[in-house]
Amino acid sequence: MTNLQPVRGTHDLLFDDLRRHRLIEATAFDLAARYGFVEIATPIFEFTDVFARTLGDTSDIVTKEMYTFETKGGESITLRPEGTAGVARAFISGGLAQMTPLKLFYRGPMFRHERPQKGRQRQFQQIGVELLGVASPQGDVEVIALAEHILKDLRLTGVTTLEINSLGDTESRAAYRDALVQFLGARKTALSEESRERLARNPLRILDSKDPGDQAAVKDAPAFTDFLNMASQDFFKTVQDGLAALGIGFKVNPALVRGLDYYCHTAFEFTTEALGAQGTVLAGGRYDGLIQQMGGPPTPGVGWAAGVERLAMLLPELTPAHRPIAVIPISDDEVTAAQSLTHTLRRAGLAADLGYGGNMGKRMKRADKINAIVAVILGADEVREHAVTVRNLDTGDQVKVPEADLVRHLAAYR
Ligand code: ATP
Ligand code: MG
């Protein structure tokens, strides 16, 4: 027997769930365009190296979460777990380096093999932006402002908080890294086995760990902010001043980190209390070293990605969907006339629905089910008189309208 369950961690979307997704994507796309971002669509799979090399071989994504398979040609392919690596790959392979500054928006499915729970799927949807070729802190402010604008238009600023931190430049990060290794080296036994391994290879990632023991051990660790050199402090201050000047509220969270080497300066997240453990709805940061590390020309970058499912769960009630017109023939004799009338209404730009069968009662029930705003009823009299009966389904009021006037009459219901 065929297993007809959706694969664990995947979902079918329809009705209001899908409307929520589309609303979020459309809002983000429209606002991104207003900020000068153009859409890029990269493939949903890439050579495995694209992710393995950019995300680092100690990240959770690479060590545990990737959907990797071998093609018939013997190449290793991975379903994209996130959007930045593919965009960076396209930037390099498509010769886009000539076009900086470049502002890119993307949307689409991502795939991670992790334990499904509320707000955590194996196939999920992201929207995101990348601003490439801008080294100045105004770039950070702009992408954060766009994120905030999207959340505001979705009426989610009340339930989300912007947290920011600075990871500093290379020099500051090296100084911090030394201090952290010293601090955690003295507490090695409290760390998970995985984090003991990270201590040598990528200690910053330990700050990001979800292991409760690790989290307790790093609780009193030195803070990044205390190790920022002058240039990094200035950068961070300019970002904060820029946000304040735009009236965007934020909280500095010294524990907010991105554990990968190419991340620097600003790290930020919009978080919520409303989704339990899956509290981060949008996450981003500056990644000045990424493009170069992938083999491209040195190109600064800053961007973010947001999980559409998590945003969808936070959305307030949707406004009801557009209400159609129901065309209802009283008997089978009027079906042809009704079909032709429905066609005319659709040509005129109106949403019209023609029930397929059953008696008048059954057709009225269908009109109710699709939440029609008005019924256009055709009986033998109407057909003879070249007229229709229009019934307002909310009030029950009805009038006879000459067919020639119908489109004009229905404009009130558009
Ligand atoms: P988390 O800490 O929740 O695992 P992450 O650090 O792995 O998140 P990012 O890689 O920064 O997440 O992805 C950006 C956003 O994408 C997240 O803030 C979240 O909204 C969403 N997201 C990430 N993984 C999933 C998932 N498995 N299911 C649904 N949404 C996800
Ligand atoms: Mg994760």
Side-chain angles (χ1 to χ4, degrees):
M1 269 280 277
T2 314
N3 183 350
L4 296 178
Q5 293 301 309
V7 173
R8 195 163 125 82
T10 69
H11 292 280
D12 303 309
L13 286 170
L14 74 171
F15 304 128
D16 273 2
D17 287 337
L18 191 53
R19 285 184 65 215
R20 284 173 210 280
H21 275 237
R22 293 296 185 242
L23 174 69
I24 291 162
E25 281 175 29
T27 304
F29 172 77
D30 289 348
L31 283 172
R34 198 185 299 179
Y35 281 66
F37 287 76
V38 297
E39 185 166 12
I40 181 171
T42 64
I44 62 164
F45 51 76
E46 300 272 354
F47 291 121
T48 299
D49 258 7
V50 168
F51 304 112
R53 287 197 29 217
T54 53
L55 297 169
D57 54 7
T58 56
S59 70
D60 279 356
I61 292 182
V62 171
T63 53
K64 300 177 210 151
E65 300 174 0
M66 295 206 306
Y67 280 93
T68 297
F69 55 93
E70 197 173 295
T71 66
K72 286 179 182 161
E75 289 160 334
S76 180
I77 297 289
T78 294
L79 298 184
R80 65 181 182 192
E82 54 93 49
T84 306
V87 170
R89 195 272 309 140
F91 177 84
I92 299 168
S93 70
L96 300 177
Q98 319 303 325
M99 298 176 69
T100 56
L102 195 58
K103 297 163 132 184
L104 300 171
F105 168 85
Y106 64 85
R107 54 181 145 186
M110 306 294 162
F111 306 85
R112 297 185 193 178
H113 193 277
E114 46 187 337
R115 199 165 67 77
Q117 40 197 306
K118 187 179 158 205
R120 192 176 295 286
Q121 293 86 243
R122 290 181 170 176
Q123 174 173 340
F124 62 101
Q125 207 73 15
Q126 277 187 347
I127 49 173
V129 298
E130 315 292 355
L131 171 57
L132 295 164
V134 176
S136 80
Q138 279 75 34
D140 309 49
V141 174
E142 177 154 74
V143 298
I144 294 172
L146 171 57
E148 200 254 4
H149 202 153
I150 293 167
L151 295 176
K152 184 165 264 160
D153 275 17
L154 292 171
R155 292 184 289 156
L156 295 181
T157 35
V159 289
T160 52
T161 306
L162 170 60
E163 301 181 26
I164 64 171
N165 192 25
S166 173
L167 314 180
D169 58 11
T170 314
E171 183 187 83
S172 307
R173 261 198 331 284
Y176 178 70
R177 192 189 165 107
D178 289 347
L180 185 68
V181 170
Q182 196 171 23
F183 176 88
L184 291 176
R187 290 162 183 76
K188 225 171 160 167
T189 50
L191 295 176
S192 66
E193 196 181 313
E194 211 178 354
S195 283
R196 266 177 299 208
E197 211 168 284
R198 289 174 178 144
L199 199 53
R201 293 167 67 195
N202 196 345
L204 299 192
R205 274 217 63 87
I206 300 172
L207 299 171
D208 231 357
S209 170
K210 293 198 171 75
D211 178 273
D214 290 346
Q215 287 180 348
V218 301
K219 210 168 155 288
D220 299 313
F224 243 118
T225 21
D226 295 334
F227 291 80
L228 299 179
N229 59 19
M230 282 308 288
S232 299
Q233 286 178 37
D234 278 352
F235 193 103
F236 195 29
K237 182 165 186 307
T238 308
V239 173
Q240 294 183 56
D241 290 349
L243 293 173
L246 301 182
I248 297 172
F250 61 87
K251 201 168 86 188
V252 174
N253 174 3
L256 182 64
V257 292
R258 293 266 174 283
L260 309 178
D261 279 347
Y262 56 79
Y263 276 109
C264 62
H265 293 296
T266 321
F268 58 91
E269 285 183 358
F270 282 86
T271 58
T272 180
E273 311 259 281
L275 296 179
Q278 275 62 252
T280 303
V281 294
L282 184 151
R286 179 165 278 283
Y287 49 83
D288 290 348
L290 170 66
I291 304 272
Q292 188 172 23
Q293 185 185 309
M294 281 181 84
T299 308
V302 58
W304 53 256
V308 177
E309 282 80 1
R310 291 187 195 177
L311 291 171
M313 284 192 285
L314 293 178
L315 273 197
E317 272 304 302
L318 293 175
T319 51
H322 188 72
R323 298 177 67 186
I325 295 157
V327 180
I328 298 174
I330 290 181
S331 77
D332 285 351
D333 293 342
E334 292 85 36
V335 165
T336 308
Q339 178 137 50
S340 144
L341 184 65
T342 307
H343 193 64
T344 304
L345 297 180
R346 290 172 178 161
R347 288 281 195 172
L350 296 160
D353 183 271
L354 175 66
Y356 287 115
N359 56 19
M360 171 87 183
K362 205 159 169 201
R363 291 183 201 258
M364 287 306 291
K365 247 190 215 132
R366 172 165 168 85
D368 199 44
K369 196 168 153 207
I370 62 172
N371 196 26
I373 189 163
V374 69
V376 171
I377 302 164
L378 270 143
D381 291 351
E382 280 88 352
V383 170
R384 198 172 344 99
E385 295 164 22
H386 295 289
V388 296
T389 296
V390 175
R391 183 187 300 173
N392 180 321
L393 292 173
D394 291 337
T395 62
D397 296 345
Q398 62 181 49
V399 285
K400 215 176 235 184
V401 178
E403 235 190 86
D405 288 345
L406 183 61
V407 168
R408 213 170 324 137
H409 181 85
L410 290 175
Y413 294 99
R414 205 182 267 269

